[in-house]
Amino acid sequence: MNYETIIGLEVHAELSTKTKIYCGCTSEFGGQPNTHCCPVCLGLPGSLPKINKKAVEYAVKAGLALNCSITRASRMARKNYFYPDCPKDYQITQQDFPLCANGFIEIETKNGPKKIGIERIHIEEDAGKLLHVRDGSLVDYNRAGVPLIEVVSKPDMRSPEEARLYLEKLKSILWYIGVSDCKMEEGSLRCDANISIRPEGEDKFGTKTEIKNMNSFKALEKALGYERTRQKELLDGGGTVHQDTRRWDDSKEMTFVMRSKEHAHDYRYFPEPDLVAISISDEWIKEIGQSIPELPDDKKKRFIEQYKLPEYDADILTSSKKLADFFEECVKYTDDAKSVSNIIMVEMLRLMNEKGVEIEGLKITPQHIGKLVNLVNKKTISSTAAKKVFDEMFTTGKDPDAIVKDRGLIQNSDTDFIKGIVLKVLSENQQSVADYKNGKDRALGFLVGRVMKESKGKANPAIANRILKQELSK
């Protein structure tokens, strides 16, 4: 039987406020265990929470960026449950009056753009962190009370790939507007997924399962793919899908049952009596809206139009606001935006990945990249030499003019000089010469590469190419 997959995501993003949501403790990641805590974090008798205005502002900002309507009069609720990482035995969250509702994100699928609905965005506090050791379990409450937004999508996704695209777009937007650092490796962006399947053509939803706390795009896509197959095999074998909460084991690439799914009534929600209602004025919403920068989709369109970049380049360059800003700084120093794009995508991102360097830790400057592009375009250095210059710029932060001078990399266009190298290369590579004469055009590229290597990257490649063809035609 053919089935349709139904997926909805619940994403928790830690807000980048300096202090926690209900007290003045720092929300900074890490620190010695239980050093970022106070009586409010720990729910001690007599302590009273006070809501962090910045957390409300960031949640509203996220709502506006995600095309939501903003709830003018809202309030907090207590979600009651017992777990060691929640010292109060309840979580202060929102239930009936979320700050934001009815938004959407647009993703690019193989079949074109698709809108994924957002049901609600509400604010709440994070829980502490449990560490299970041989002799028992330890708990660190440094994270308890860090402000979160929970972004709940509508069940509009129809494949694991769409779920990944949605999460990537959501992360990009939250990052752009500066409300969360979205560091999945530090747990500041976490994702739970609800997935069910139903026979194609049916309207009624199948029984869903929930997969908890996936912390990478790859894990999300794999876990949903596994769960979709598991549910299909279960139904095709005459079995029943139970409404479970499951965990994803990355090493075994399987989901496992954690517990039967709780329902909202299990939590006995009721209004939080220690916090006043939240009132949001139109003026404040307008002020927050004016602080939202150009978002990724708009920036991508502008990059294509303004810099004449291919969609692929624009997509990568605008995947991060810091990367997009860096690119735009580079093109202030050259007219060749495409060459800047090539250097950033091919050389800079490669080295950043290899060295584990973030944009803010770069020694290389946008001005240096602009200068390097101009050196190649003016034929002062070859593209082969440019790679050497870039590597040194990346490592040392030195000016490209100084590197070219120090290493003697100025391009040589002297035809006698180049012809001498060409003749030497041809005499040492007779098999490639024969291959070229037998119709293997790729042999020419190999020979050009040998000439460039022999000249230490100084030979003008266009002249080398021309002389090689002349000699090979004899």
Side-chain angles (χ1 to χ4, degrees), residues 164-227:
R164 175 181 56 78
L165 291 170
Y166 166 86
L167 186 59
E168 286 175 348
K169 180 60 75 68
L170 176 60
K171 177 184 176 183
S172 174
I173 293 172
L174 296 180
W175 207 6
Y176 257 73
I177 63 176
V179 301
S180 175
D181 63 20
C182 297
K183 291 181 178 174
M184 298 181 85
E185 68 279 10
E186 292 182 3
S188 58
L189 190 77
R190 308 189 290 272
C191 179
D192 303 338
N194 291 301
I195 177 170
S196 65
I197 60 172
R198 64 185 174 192
E200 279 186 357
E202 274 201 12
D203 293 330
K204 186 181 175 185
F205 288 137
T207 302
K208 67 183 178 184
T209 57
E210 181 183 30
I211 312 173
K212 298 289 283 182
N213 285 340
M214 288 159 290
N215 59 4
S216 75
F217 300 120
K218 195 174 172 184
L220 172 73
E221 196 167 3
K222 276 188 177 179
L224 288 170
Y226 171 85
E227 189 59 16

Side-chain angles (χ1 to χ4, degrees), residues 262-472:
E262 299 89 345
H263 296 276
H265 62 258
D266 291 335
Y267 291 123
R268 295 178 293 112
Y269 283 97
F270 61 84
E272 164 59 56
D274 291 337
L275 286 168
V276 297
I278 301 170
S279 178
I280 301 175
S281 68
D282 290 342
E283 290 74 20
W284 196 26
I285 293 174
K286 184 178 178 183
E287 184 183 324
I288 295 170
Q290 289 171 341
S291 71
I292 294 176
E294 184 182 36
L295 294 178
D297 284 351
D298 295 330
K299 197 180 284 290
K300 179 182 167 184
K301 287 177 189 168
R302 182 169 64 78
F303 275 24
I304 293 171
E305 291 172 8
Q306 181 176 344
Y307 301 115
K308 312 300 179 194
L309 295 178
E311 184 172 344
Y312 177 77
D313 292 39
D315 204 31
I316 291 178
L317 293 173
T318 58
S319 61
S320 144
K321 185 174 183 299
K322 288 177 182 174
L323 187 63
D325 290 344
F326 188 89
F327 166 80
E328 291 212 276
E329 276 299 305
C330 291
V331 295
K332 289 179 180 174
Y333 300 98
T334 177
D335 295 330
D336 189 351
K338 180 64 177 105
S339 291
V340 170
S341 170
N342 290 344
I343 287 179
I344 289 177
M345 292 199 306
V346 177
E347 304 298 337
M348 194 176 93
L349 292 181
R350 173 181 62 81
L351 286 173
M352 286 172 66
N353 189 44
E354 286 178 8
K355 309 287 184 187
V357 178
E358 301 289 337
I359 286 273
E360 51 269 35
L362 286 174
K363 292 180 179 174
I364 197 167
T365 68
Q367 184 179 11
H368 289 168
I369 289 182
K371 273 188 175 184
L372 181 63
V373 168
N374 293 337
L375 286 170
V376 175
N377 288 348
K378 290 176 183 171
K379 303 191 186 306
T380 305
I381 59 172
S382 68
S383 55
T384 305
K387 289 183 182 177
K388 295 178 183 176
V389 175
F390 184 85
D391 285 353
E392 188 165 339
M393 284 163 57
F394 187 90
T395 305
T396 64
K398 284 177 69 176
D399 187 289
D401 288 329
I403 297 170
V404 168
K405 185 179 176 184
D406 292 347
R407 298 183 63 172
L409 292 173
I410 292 176
Q411 184 166 263
N412 193 328
S413 297
D414 184 322
T415 51
D416 291 337
F417 166 75
I418 296 173
K419 187 173 180 179
I421 294 175
V422 165
L423 293 175
K424 181 173 184 290
V425 167
L426 290 178
S427 67
E428 292 175 351
N429 295 276
Q430 287 298 310
Q431 183 59 52
S432 296
V433 172
D435 288 345
Y436 178 77
K437 291 188 174 179
N438 287 325
K440 294 183 179 177
D441 293 341
R442 284 192 301 178
L444 180 64
F446 170 78
L447 292 168
V448 172
R450 297 301 302 173
V451 172
M452 296 306 295
K453 186 176 181 183
E454 192 69 29
S455 70
K456 296 184 172 55
K458 294 180 184 178
N460 184 319
I463 296 175
N465 199 298
R466 177 168 54 79
I467 295 176
L468 264 171
K469 283 183 177 176
Q470 287 171 353
E471 294 301 319
L472 287 166

Side-chain angles (χ1 to χ4, degrees), residues 71-178:
T71 308
R72 268 40 174 196
S74 179
R75 69 184 183 201
M76 308 303 292
R78 286 188 181 182
K79 178 182 179 181
N80 295 276
Y81 68 94
F82 171 76
Y83 205 65
D85 64 3
C86 181
K88 296 192 291 284
D89 288 350
Y90 61 83
Q91 179 190 32
I92 304 178
T93 179
Q94 293 191 300
Q95 173 64 2
D96 296 327
F97 305 98
L99 279 179
C100 320
N102 298 320
F104 67 87
I105 284 177
E106 192 166 277
I107 60 172
E108 288 292 332
T109 72
K110 286 179 280 190
N111 300 318
K114 178 178 179 179
K115 281 185 181 177
I116 306 296
I118 292 174
E119 188 175 296
R120 57 186 282 152
I121 301 174
H122 62 258
I123 51 174
E124 62 186 24
E125 62 184 328
D126 209 344
K129 187 176 180 182
L130 291 175
L131 177 64
H132 302 289
V133 295
R134 178 185 290 182
D135 298 328
S137 296
L138 306 171
V139 61
D140 176 7
Y141 289 120
N142 279 356
R143 204 177 67 182
V146 168
L148 300 173
I149 51 171
E150 182 173 348
V151 182
V152 182
S153 83
K154 293 182 179 175
D156 290 344
M157 287 156 269
R158 293 292 176 267
S159 69
E161 183 187 18
E162 286 188 7
R164 175 181 56 78
L165 291 170
Y166 166 86
L167 186 59
E168 286 175 348
K169 180 60 75 68
L170 176 60
K171 177 184 176 183
S172 174
I173 293 172
L174 296 180
W175 207 6
Y176 257 73
I177 63 176

Side-chain angles (χ1 to χ4, degrees), residues 204-262:
K204 186 181 175 185
F205 288 137
T207 302
K208 67 183 178 184
T209 57
E210 181 183 30
I211 312 173
K212 298 289 283 182
N213 285 340
M214 288 159 290
N215 59 4
S216 75
F217 300 120
K218 195 174 172 184
L220 172 73
E221 196 167 3
K222 276 188 177 179
L224 288 170
Y226 171 85
E227 189 59 16
R228 178 174 61 181
T229 302
R230 189 189 71 85
Q231 292 187 16
K232 279 181 182 175
E233 290 176 350
L234 201 57
L235 293 180
D236 285 342
T240 303
V241 175
H242 296 287
Q243 188 171 331
D244 297 324
T245 296
R246 308 178 72 86
R247 69 177 175 85
W248 168 247
D249 188 318
D250 227 0
S251 60
K252 295 178 180 172
E253 299 199 342
M254 298 173 71
T255 63
F256 294 92
V257 175
M258 292 171 65
R259 57 181 181 264
S260 295
K261 175 66 181 162
E262 299 89 345

Side-chain angles (χ1 to χ4, degrees), residues 24-35:
C25 289
T26 179
S27 58
E28 186 179 346
F29 176 78
Q32 289 297 310
N34 299 308
T35 56

